[in-house]
Amino acid sequence: MSFCFNFDVPGQTTNTDNVDGNELQNSKKDYAAKAIEEKTSPAEPVKEAKEHPPISDPQFSLMDAVAETVTIGTLPPLHFLNETVFEKTALERDDGEKILSSTAKQRSDLISGVYEGGLKVWECTYDLLELIEKEGETLGGKAVLDLGCGAGLLGILALKRGARLIHFQDYNSTVIEQLTVPNVILNCQEDDDVDSEDEKEGKGKGVCEMKVKEKQEVKDGSPPTKKKAVDPSQQPLLAKCRFFSGDWSTFLALVKKEEPQPKYDIIFTSETIYNTAYYPTLHETLHKLLAPGGLVYLATKSHYFGVGGGLHLFETFVEQRGVFSLDHLWDGEDGLQRHVVVLRFKNDKGHLNQ
């Protein structure tokens, strides 16, 4: 979506006069740690979790969908609804939460407690995809959770890489119904033109080039080829997928009721630590749902201006809880620093490729 990078949540300021960088960072860590420990419930009312069926209509069609394709190195192509077209057709979509109109009106990427950013594919998602391609993480036969999934690209990659089950979770039901599920269906099509000439040319060139090319076509008035109609009931890969909305506390409570309770070998989560008020619930969700020997891949920025969270503060929180070890896998130095880290239980001795 063509929104500016701003957040409609309260911010805090720190007087940095006569304070060097190390002192300032340590001060922020200490303050955040104390604030998080004191704050045991979310700032906003909880949003009840629910499961969404992948198919609401057997005749569901993607005839009018315009898709972009991300191709990174040897990874399979990942298709998702074009953000520009999605924005322009927002008023035509079923949106009981009214987040599509709210985000367009306020021109905000995030409205705390109302909309948590799931309609946008954030930069750190691409960082994590590139790391997976580089490190060769094996996903075949594993149970995977895409936590705070948004467009669902990380979970879709797991699906294409042979995971035995993939669960998608996002705060907003509109995101799940209008973006995540359609994106999964797009990628389940057997005749999705993966080997088209455009994609052959784009393979290995990196995500940025592919995305710029597709978006430019939309702006020039000649959008990418529309996907063919598909009957999702004929797609066996969908049987591996389940979809959930709601905040993390109610999502955790919902899945804990199941017998047996789901445990995930891999949990992907990208750009989800921007608000320190959510750290206790996020940590508890990871703690209860990660399988022994499992890995949590977290992609994030160092700091989220105007919101207050970031990697350094989350590292402090994780260290204080003493449940997980946290290791840096990739640290970007350009611009607003971005990172990919991995969490594992402290009593696990496993390595990245388990």
Side-chain angles (χ1 to χ4, degrees), residues 18-119:
N18 301 319
V19 180
D20 65 32
N22 290 333
E23 291 178 352
L24 177 60
Q25 188 61 58
N26 290 335
S27 174
K28 286 183 177 180
K29 280 189 174 185
D30 293 341
Y31 175 82
K34 292 177 182 178
I36 293 168
E37 289 297 331
E38 293 172 356
K39 192 160 190 161
T40 58
S41 60
E44 303 291 339
V46 296
K47 188 178 185 66
E48 288 298 323
K50 63 180 180 179
E51 183 170 1
H52 299 258
I55 307 166
S56 58
D57 181 356
Q59 300 303 317
F60 179 83
S61 171
L62 291 171
M63 182 66 74
D64 294 327
V66 177
E68 293 186 54
T69 299
V70 174
T71 306
I72 300 176
T74 60
L75 296 184
L78 305 176
H79 310 294
F80 61 104
L81 295 185
N82 179 277
E83 294 177 5
T84 302
V85 175
F86 195 91
E87 179 184 359
K88 290 181 178 179
T89 60
L91 296 179
E92 304 171 11
R93 300 179 182 276
D94 183 15
D95 177 20
E97 297 174 304
K98 306 299 182 185
I99 65 170
L100 295 170
S101 57
S102 296
T103 54
K105 182 177 180 180
Q106 298 188 31
R107 297 190 63 80
S108 176
D109 292 314
L110 186 150
I111 306 172
S112 183
V114 177
Y115 164 63
E116 298 291 346
L119 295 175

Side-chain angles (χ1 to χ4, degrees), residues 255-321:
V255 297
K256 284 177 67 176
K257 294 178 182 178
E258 299 186 5
E259 291 291 343
Q261 177 190 321
K263 292 282 188 176
Y264 303 98
D265 304 305
I266 299 288
I267 298 178
F268 290 126
T269 189
S270 177
E271 308 255 22
T272 51
I273 60 170
Y274 51 84
N275 192 333
T276 58
Y278 300 159
Y279 288 3
T281 303
L282 174 59
H283 189 279
E284 179 72 2
T285 301
L286 299 177
H287 185 186
K288 298 301 183 183
L289 295 184
L290 186 65
L295 300 172
V296 178
Y297 286 99
L298 165 66
T300 181
K301 296 183 176 71
S302 294
H303 183 72
Y304 291 88
F305 296 98
V307 189
L311 179 58
H312 303 305
L313 305 182
F314 187 69
E315 282 184 289
T316 300
F317 181 80
V318 169
E319 182 180 356
Q320 289 183 337
R321 290 299 171 103

Side-chain angles (χ1 to χ4, degrees), residues 51-304:
E51 183 170 1
H52 299 258
I55 307 166
S56 58
D57 181 356
Q59 300 303 317
F60 179 83
S61 171
L62 291 171
M63 182 66 74
D64 294 327
V66 177
E68 293 186 54
T69 299
V70 174
T71 306
I72 300 176
T74 60
L75 296 184
L78 305 176
H79 310 294
F80 61 104
L81 295 185
N82 179 277
E83 294 177 5
T84 302
V85 175
F86 195 91
E87 179 184 359
K88 290 181 178 179
T89 60
L91 296 179
E92 304 171 11
R93 300 179 182 276
D94 183 15
D95 177 20
E97 297 174 304
K98 306 299 182 185
I99 65 170
L100 295 170
S101 57
S102 296
T103 54
K105 182 177 180 180
Q106 298 188 31
R107 297 190 63 80
S108 176
D109 292 314
L110 186 150
I111 306 172
S112 183
V114 177
Y115 164 63
E116 298 291 346
L119 295 175
K120 181 180 180 64
V121 181
W122 295 88
E123 301 95 328
C124 292
T125 298
Y126 300 126
D127 296 335
L128 182 46
L129 287 170
E130 290 177 354
L131 182 88
I132 293 170
E133 195 273 338
K134 178 182 178 182
E135 298 293 334
E137 170 63 76
T138 56
L139 300 170
K142 294 185 177 180
V144 176
L145 171 63
D146 191 346
L147 190 68
C149 62
L153 295 185
L154 297 167
I156 290 169
L157 174 63
L159 180 65
K160 290 194 166 190
R161 278 287 183 89
R164 63 181 174 86
L165 67 85
I166 307 93
H167 293 174
F168 298 83
Q169 180 277 337
D170 196 89
Y171 183 82
N172 293 106
S173 60
T174 298
V175 171
I176 291 291
E177 294 171 350
Q178 298 296 326
L179 188 61
T180 314
V181 172
N183 284 346
V184 172
I185 292 172
L186 279 173
N187 286 274
C188 284
Q189 296 185 66
E190 295 180 0
D191 58 344
D192 60 358
D193 300 324
V194 168
D195 293 322
S196 69
E197 289 303 316
D198 284 345
E199 288 181 338
K200 285 181 181 178
E201 293 176 2
K203 283 187 178 180
K205 293 184 179 180
V207 61
C208 293
E209 184 168 346
M210 289 295 293
K211 285 179 65 60
V212 169
K213 177 176 181 294
E214 297 257 6
K215 288 188 175 182
Q216 187 62 46
E217 288 175 346
V218 174
K219 292 179 180 179
D220 293 344
S222 55
T225 304
K226 293 182 178 180
K227 292 293 179 181
K228 298 177 182 178
V230 61
D231 182 353
S233 64
Q234 302 303 312
Q235 301 299 326
L237 287 179
L238 278 177
K240 295 183 175 184
C241 301
R242 294 174 66 185
F243 304 89
F244 301 87
S245 66
D247 73 77
W248 291 322
S249 64
T250 59
F251 166 67
L252 176 60
L254 179 63
V255 297
K256 284 177 67 176
K257 294 178 182 178
E258 299 186 5
E259 291 291 343
Q261 177 190 321
K263 292 282 188 176
Y264 303 98
D265 304 305
I266 299 288
I267 298 178
F268 290 126
T269 189
S270 177
E271 308 255 22
T272 51
I273 60 170
Y274 51 84
N275 192 333
T276 58
Y278 300 159
Y279 288 3
T281 303
L282 174 59
H283 189 279
E284 179 72 2
T285 301
L286 299 177
H287 185 186
K288 298 301 183 183
L289 295 184
L290 186 65
L295 300 172
V296 178
Y297 286 99
L298 165 66
T300 181
K301 296 183 176 71
S302 294
H303 183 72
Y304 291 88

